[in-house]
Amino acid sequence: MMDKWFNNKWFIRAVSLFIAVMLYMMVSIDNINNQQPGAGIPGITDGERVLEDVELTILYDEDRYVVTEAPETVQVSLRGPQNLLMLQIARPQYEVFVDLREEGAGEHYERVQYSGFQSDLSVAVEPSTVRVALQELQTSSFPVQVELLNEDELEAGYAAGTPTVTPSSVDVTGAEGMINQIATARAFIDLSGESETIEESVEVLLYDESGDEIEITPDPPAVDVTVPITSPNKEVPVRIDREGELSNGSAVTSVQANPNTVTIYGPPDVLDDINFVTGLSIDLSEINESTTLELEVPLPEGVERVEPETIEVDVVVDEEESRVFSNFPFDITGLNNDYEVELLDPENAAFDLEVRGSASVLERISQEDIDASIDLDGLSPGEHGVPLRVNGPQNLSFNFDIDEVAVRVYDEEDAEPASTQPADEEAPEEQEEEPDEEEGPDEEDETEEDEESEEEESEEETEEDSS
């Protein structure tokens, strides 16, 4: 029976038509639920749909121009069979645009065009004509300025150095009028609480003359900024010590460090106690001629770092010569105010001094450049041997024939030096008895004078009697 029906072509046609109607109804029922009021029956009556905020595309030569003014969206009205409207909305493969590809810079009033709509639909765009402005595309470079924020909020004693920026400038591409408004490109670094060198990638912002930000993205949009944060520091000289001796016949003319000062970094209390850097020395026994040495600068205790880490030392060597200063005076220092001093050997405060060094150094020095002295500090009354000390400019050596000066220290209130004790103390007493011994001769003179007077008177009386 069934085979007989399927062999009937009218039966097959009726079933196919029924299935087609059912499929159409199934699709249309969903669309009916979204249909605008009054749109009619899909596929049977015409309808209308309005598309709001349809993106408006501006076609132009992007390598030469930039759009500075144009509407972003338009409104599109569609009219036609409901099934086509539904299909158009379900498949929005359309475009609304303005074609300025053949136009140059300036203001243009162009008709809005469209494509991708069903040919049986009536399309209306509002507005149908729009105003579009094109400007020449321009690229300019701007140096990046780093602005340090809250510098006063760094850790105590720390300071910010000069920032470095990589790359140092950024390119900005845009309309000529917009480019002309750009005054500066800035990158900001916040220093609050920082105590170490900052290395960050920072966004670059553009500003006009009034300080207002301009919304353009530069190329690159960010730069690498390094801000050195330095700890408290102090510049101090270096001291070059010498070890060993030059070979005979040679003398040091000069020892010059380059640089002769270094910068040390560390806590303030550590830096306050350091006035120069020590620990650098040259071995003269290894030097035969003028040379330049490179020395590493040692870190004093408590110091974090030193700049530079190495220095050069120029050592100039010349032939050794000598110069003699006869009767060179020496000073006496350190004597207690209650004492006096007597020089025993030598008896005068002078000696013969031989100075050895290079000819150029010897020519420059004078007696005033050399100090010679003996120090009597702490010496009590009595005789002493005091070392003779001679100090003078560097690169010189001193030879003299006395190592010690013999002195006698005594109390200034005593008439004689303190070292002469009992015998000397009795001398003044013996001198006080001398006036009594001198009265004797006066009395004898008076007696002799009386006897002579009596003899003269007796002779006168005898002469008178004889007459």
Side-chain angles (χ1 to χ4, degrees), residues 332-344:
I332 300 174
T333 63
L335 180 64
N336 191 308
N337 293 332
D338 296 331
Y339 298 151
E340 295 289 343
V341 63
E342 178 185 7
L343 296 177
L344 301 179

Side-chain angles (χ1 to χ4, degrees), residues 240-294:
I240 309 298
D241 296 329
R242 307 175 190 194
E243 300 176 354
E245 295 181 355
L246 290 172
S247 58
N248 291 333
S250 299
V252 175
T253 299
S254 65
V255 176
Q256 181 63 47
N258 184 27
N260 57 9
T261 61
V262 296
T263 303
I264 55 176
Y265 298 82
D269 56 336
V270 173
L271 300 184
D272 289 343
D273 295 335
I274 300 176
N275 296 319
F276 50 83
V277 173
T278 61
L280 298 97
S281 64
I282 57 175
D283 189 353
L284 296 179
S285 63
E286 297 181 352
I287 298 176
N288 299 318
E289 59 184 2
S290 298
T291 184
T292 298
L293 305 174
E294 182 175 333

Side-chain angles (χ1 to χ4, degrees), residues 16 41 44 60 77 84 100 108 115 124 130 186 219 272 332 341 368 395 416 436 466:
S16 298
I41 299 174
I44 299 177
Y60 62 99
S77 299
L84 296 180
L100 298 175
H108 305 275
S115 63
V130 296
R186 305 176 189 175
D219 181 26
D272 289 343
I332 300 174
V341 63
E368 289 72 20
N395 308 323
E416 296 292 336
D436 296 338
S466 63

Side-chain angles (χ1 to χ4, degrees), residues 56-367:
L56 177 64
T57 301
I58 309 297
L59 303 178
Y60 62 99
D61 186 351
E62 297 183 4
D63 294 333
R64 298 179 58 190
Y65 306 106
V66 62
V67 176
T68 58
E69 184 177 348
E72 296 181 355
T73 60
V74 293
Q75 174 182 294
V76 177
S77 299
L78 302 177
R79 178 180 293 275
Q82 289 293 345
N83 58 333
L84 296 180
L85 289 175
M86 297 300 104
L87 183 62
Q88 186 68 62
I89 294 172
R91 298 175 181 177
Q93 297 177 348
Y94 53 83
E95 182 182 25
V96 181
F97 60 93
V98 172
D99 191 357
L100 298 175
R101 286 175 288 188
E102 301 299 328
E103 304 294 338
E107 295 183 354
H108 305 275
Y109 292 88
E110 293 291 329
R111 187 175 64 85
V112 179
Q113 305 179 55
Y114 55 84
S115 63
F117 291 99
Q118 295 291 335
S119 58
D120 292 336
L121 294 178
S122 173
V123 180
V125 180
E126 182 63 32
S128 60
T129 301
V130 296
R131 176 179 176 274
V132 178
L134 296 180
Q135 287 191 8
E136 291 278 357
L137 198 61
Q138 180 176 329
T139 299
S140 297
S141 295
F142 295 88
V144 179
Q145 302 176 4
V146 177
E147 295 199 7
L148 303 180
L149 305 177
N150 303 316
E151 192 167 357
D152 56 343
E153 296 181 9
L154 281 169
E155 288 288 337
Y158 288 78
T162 302
T164 58
V165 184
T166 304
S168 59
S169 62
V170 293
D171 293 334
V172 181
T173 301
E176 181 180 3
M178 185 69 75
I179 296 296
N180 292 337
Q181 295 179 22
I182 300 174
T184 57
R186 305 176 189 175
F188 297 91
I189 296 290
D190 189 354
L191 301 180
S192 300
E194 298 289 348
S195 60
E196 297 180 353
T197 295
I198 301 173
E199 296 180 352
E200 291 184 4
S201 180
V202 184
E203 180 184 11
V204 178
L205 303 177
L206 306 175
Y207 293 88
D208 62 15
E209 290 286 353
S210 301
D212 297 327
E213 184 177 349
I214 299 176
E215 297 292 342
I216 299 180
T217 301
D219 181 26
V223 293
D224 295 329
V225 179
T226 300
V227 182
I229 303 297
T230 58
S231 58
N233 60 81
K234 181 181 181 180
E235 186 173 348
V236 294
V238 295
R239 191 176 71 184
I240 309 298
D241 296 329
R242 307 175 190 194
E243 300 176 354
E245 295 181 355
L246 290 172
S247 58
N248 291 333
S250 299
V252 175
T253 299
S254 65
V255 176
Q256 181 63 47
N258 184 27
N260 57 9
T261 61
V262 296
T263 303
I264 55 176
Y265 298 82
D269 56 336
V270 173
L271 300 184
D272 289 343
D273 295 335
I274 300 176
N275 296 319
F276 50 83
V277 173
T278 61
L280 298 97
S281 64
I282 57 175
D283 189 353
L284 296 179
S285 63
E286 297 181 352
I287 298 176
N288 299 318
E289 59 184 2
S290 298
T291 184
T292 298
L293 305 174
E294 182 175 333
L295 300 182
E296 183 177 350
V297 182
L299 276 181
E301 184 176 357
V303 172
E304 298 174 354
R305 62 189 177 94
V306 60
E307 291 182 353
E309 296 180 350
T310 61
I311 62 171
E312 291 185 344
V313 179
D314 297 325
V315 183
V316 179
V317 176
D318 204 349
E319 184 177 352
E320 186 180 53
E321 296 184 5
S322 66
R323 181 178 175 184
V324 176
F325 293 86
S326 299
N327 293 320
F328 193 92
F330 63 83
D331 298 326
I332 300 174
T333 63
L335 180 64
N336 191 308
N337 293 332
D338 296 331
Y339 298 151
E340 295 289 343
V341 63
E342 178 185 7
L343 296 177
L344 301 179
D345 184 20
E347 296 180 351
N348 299 319
F351 65 105
D352 293 335
L353 175 63
E354 181 188 27
V355 182
R356 303 189 68 83
S358 65
S360 59
V361 176
L362 292 176
E363 290 175 356
R364 293 197 301 267
I365 66 167
S366 63
Q367 181 173 308

Side-chain angles (χ1 to χ4, degrees), residues 19-37:
I19 294 173
V21 171
M22 292 301 295
L23 291 174
Y24 175 78
M25 294 300 295
M26 290 175 63
V27 174
S28 299
I29 287 174
D30 291 337
N31 293 333
I32 289 172
N33 294 331
N34 299 323
Q35 190 175 3
Q36 293 179 350

Side-chain angles (χ1 to χ4, degrees), residues 396-461:
L396 295 175
S397 61
F398 305 99
N399 297 324
F400 38 95
D401 55 358
I402 57 174
D403 294 331
E404 291 186 344
V405 175
V407 300
R408 180 165 53 197
V409 177
Y410 59 94
D411 194 331
E412 65 177 351
E413 293 181 353
D414 295 337
E416 296 292 336
S419 59
T420 61
Q421 305 245 345
D424 294 337
E425 292 177 359
E426 292 175 355
E429 295 179 358
E430 292 177 354
Q431 292 176 357
E432 292 176 355
E433 294 175 354
E434 290 180 359
D436 296 338
E437 296 176 354
E438 294 175 356
E439 291 177 354
D442 294 339
E443 292 177 352
E444 291 179 356
D445 293 343
E446 290 178 356
T447 303
E448 291 177 355
E449 290 177 355
D450 292 343
E451 290 178 352
E452 291 177 356
S453 178
E454 290 177 358
E455 289 177 356
E456 289 177 355
E457 289 179 354
S458 174
E459 289 177 356
E460 290 177 354
E461 288 178 354

Side-chain angles (χ1 to χ4, degrees), residues 39-59:
I41 299 174
I44 299 177
T45 60
D46 290 342
E48 181 178 356
R49 297 295 300 269
V50 177
L51 306 178
E52 301 287 350
D53 299 329
V54 177
E55 180 181 2
L56 177 64
T57 301
I58 309 297
L59 303 178

